[in-house]
Amino acid sequence: MATHEPNNFLAGVIEGFYGPPWTQAERFELFDWMAAWGLNTYFYAPKDDLNQRAIWRELYSGAETEALGQLIQACQQRRLRFVYALSPGLDIRYAHPTELDQLKRRFEQMLTLGCQNFSLLFDDIPDRMDPEDNQRFGSFASAQCHVVNALFRWTRERCPAARFLFCPTPYCGRMAEAKLGGEGYLAAVGRELLPEIDVCWTGPEIIAREITVAHVQELQTVLRRKPLIWDNLHANDYDGRRFFCGPYSGRPPELRSEVSGLLSNPNTEFPFNFVPLRTLAEFVHCRGTWDARQAYLAAMREWLPHFATSGQPLALEDLILLGDCYYLPHEDGAEASALFERGRDLVAGNPATWGGEAAAFRQQIARLREFCFRLTELRHRPLFYALNRRVWELREELDLLDRYVAFKSTSGNETNAYHPDSHLPGTYRGGLVARLQRLLQPQTDGTIAPTAQVSDRFSPPLVPRKRRKSASDDLPF
Ligand code: GDL
């Protein structure tokens, strides 16, 4: 027996990240996946669709409406719910009736395209209001509820079955604890927001490693409804070096009956989302216990055909090793963890005692480097382009470790300093951002502390090995 009501339960995908929105072709591919896998909701909310947030009062142009109309139709054909979001929170004047008219005008345009479900989002906005709004409503929560309730009523008059979603300004446990939006914000939403409106919530954190039943039940009493999970587990817009192709994880199946839906806001690069969404769909429909790793391995098998090459086929076990390197925000996959631990132990240990470990490590590295290199042969070019920079960086680090271990393994070098032939200052781990990162370091207890010794100059001197010292080496630049 399913633990939630499949018809009302919103299961699917939010295009709700920062950065370049997905292409039309990617969205159509997504809709096919969703229809095949039993996901029912596509939530259109790209932060960088200009008309969604920055210029939310402006209507779409002809070409834009045509594209949106195609998406709505494509969803209808596949019996998927299309939800359209506006984010007016950057500069809306809550007390001005003309602002409500602007929102209606925007929704009206979407209604004429066949859109039937709407949303107003107030995430990531300034935590203060105009004095006039403050005077009229007294609180941020009341001002937002006023606008959302009004738009909800207006929409339901035109579309009686409309689903209406609201994202509060504090949308995770940590923000609520910090009293973002003001004292009692969520309690006011619970009291004042019409009960049919869904409230989005990302969990205890913006990127929640775990979302427990207890966490959600506590929230239910405050919100007076089941929250709708906006899940950022696989979002990568906050870190350009990473992507996440691990399984849907850290949420028990019992959570499903405590929420009004589960929507994933995944990687910005669409091709990375196969396994995250495949496993989300499995999770939504699973009976009994949930084994995230098993779901991952099964989904990786299905993903492998996307890695067809112009040469020899790639092996599933190698794809799994790569996937393990880009698994989840708080967790590497098993094989990547093992690789890291081996490397860490070697580097920390005395090379004289490395024995066969060094050779085994170098072999593992060689396999992963070769696989990364072979990705250049992918026929699916958008997938390769999305992978390219990230995997390049991985290869650089593997290459350095390999050279280091090879050097130290050579008899007589155990205590000698290693001077790289590549990985040179300036071009390797260079740049302002990398140098800024070295100033403060996250500690294992969650604090951030100054790095003990930052030996970093703007332009470190290049002193290649085997070069005789020249007079210019003593110049101070
Ligand atoms: C957020 C943003 C979301 C973004 C995500 C990850 C919500 C409600 N809003 O806070 O647009 O993609 O973090 O960076 O999650």
Side-chain angles (χ1 to χ4, degrees), residues 288-301:
T289 55
W290 173 245
D291 184 334
R293 184 69 185 176
Q294 279 312 315
Y296 166 76
L297 294 175
M300 287 300 260
R301 187 177 292 281

Side-chain angles (χ1 to χ4, degrees), residues 16-18 47 123-124 167 171 175 202 206-207 230 232 235 237-238 265:
F17 43 78
Y18 293 88
K47 286 277 189 297
D123 56 323
D124 299 1
C167 184
Y171 51 86
M175 290 177 179
T202 64
I206 302 174
I207 318 290
W230 168 311
N232 287 322
D237 53 3
Y238 58 88
N265 175 40

Side-chain angles (χ1 to χ4, degrees), residues 61-78:
S61 70
E64 289 161 342
T65 45
E66 197 181 325
L68 281 161
Q70 285 167 0
L71 293 183
I72 293 164
Q73 264 183 22
C75 281
Q76 280 166 356
Q77 282 159 5
R78 294 166 181 80

Side-chain angles (χ1 to χ4, degrees), residues 461-476:
L462 299 173
V463 189
R465 200 158 39 121
K466 294 186 192 138
R467 186 167 72 90
R468 247 177 272 127
K469 196 172 187 300
S470 77
S472 63
D473 287 345
D474 293 325
L475 294 175

Side-chain angles (χ1 to χ4, degrees), residues 264-336:
S264 164
N265 175 40
N267 295 285
T268 306
E269 296 79 8
F270 177 75
F272 293 146
N273 291 318
F274 186 91
V275 174
L277 300 179
R278 183 73 186 101
T279 55
L280 169 72
E282 285 293 303
F283 177 83
V284 165
H285 297 293
C286 85
R287 285 153 198 261
T289 55
W290 173 245
D291 184 334
R293 184 69 185 176
Q294 279 312 315
Y296 166 76
L297 294 175
M300 287 300 260
R301 187 177 292 281
E302 286 184 44
W303 198 25
L304 184 64
H306 293 238
F307 287 76
T309 72
S310 57
Q312 292 299 308
L314 296 174
L316 178 61
E317 59 266 31
D318 291 337
L319 179 59
I320 291 170
L321 174 59
L322 180 81
D324 278 5
C325 298
Y326 297 94
Y327 203 65
L328 290 169
H330 310 91
E331 184 186 343
D332 293 329
E335 293 195 34

